[in-house]
Amino acid sequence: MKIIKQIFDFYINSSIHVALSVYALVRMTQYMFNISHDDAMVYFAFFGTIVGYNFVKYDALARVKKLQMRNELKAIAFLSFVSLIAVGICFFQLQIHTQIVAVAFLGLTLLYTLPFFPNRKNARNWAGVKIYMVALSWVGVSLVLPILNAEIVITSDFYLKCIQRFILVFVLILIFEIIDLQYDDPHLKTVPQQIGVKRTKYLGYILLLIFCCLEIFNVDGNDNLSIHFFSISLQSIIAFIIAIFMFFANEKRPKYYTSFWVESIPVILWISLILLNK
């Protein structure tokens, strides 16, 4: 059991699980916009998430030498290095305009992690900014980049999907902020710190309702009523599952509540989408 727990902890701590969530969202984007044969984009997002998240989590501590290189951290460093090579290979298979936008999102990640401005902390520690930067990054990687790389014509459906994806990620982060409330620095001014846990949950429910309502307007001229009804039903199921996790979220929940179960939601949705369309 100890070995199984160590493997599972490595799976979580090395950001493989969160990368799988991003992978699932990219696959869902490809399904929604009928994109096929674009594995380079999928694996760019997957390995890029591993590199980005591990950089954000471990870089600052490593630079000030407060983090001892235990065996697990050495393994994470090795995985991140291999993932960086994979990201580079996938990057050069993307369209030029996709590469340019991807570099812009890389800049956002660096801004989030490194203190670029004099006498200022990195963006991760800017009061009230973290949740928006993370949500925008997820929208960019999981939706904007796949659409650009596939050279899909931008329509109103794209913008609605961006808003929905932002809301989806934003609400998931709210759950993280509720769980981490007792550990977060008060100066971060997270949503629960500013308005309290109960109001944060109400905000989450309202956003999920908006998330569902927006699907009514996601009508493509080629869609028939049955497909549109299926899409609305799927989005409603998504919102309901997230609302349940939001309802039971509190500061006493173990770390796996968010780091595994909440981050599993995109994967569950993707698998459900595959099974329902067989």
Side-chain angles (χ1 to χ4, degrees), residues 3 12 36 94 98 114 129-130 171 187 193 203 209 213 264:
I3 295 177
I12 298 296
S36 58
L94 303 178
T98 309
L114 302 176
V129 171
K130 173 183 174 182
V171 175
H187 293 94
Q193 287 175 343
L203 173 62
L209 181 60
C213 292
S264 293

Side-chain angles (χ1 to χ4, degrees), residues 42 98 271:
V42 175
T98 309
I271 294 174

Side-chain angles (χ1 to χ4, degrees), residues 6-34:
Q6 288 177 338
I7 294 173
F8 183 73
D9 285 341
F10 175 78
Y11 171 72
I12 298 296
N13 296 334
S14 63
S15 305
I16 296 176
H17 188 60
V18 67
L20 189 60
S21 297
V22 174
Y23 175 94
L25 287 175
V26 174
R27 286 298 190 189
M28 288 181 66
T29 297
Q30 291 179 335
Y31 170 81
M32 292 173 182
F33 290 89
N34 297 312

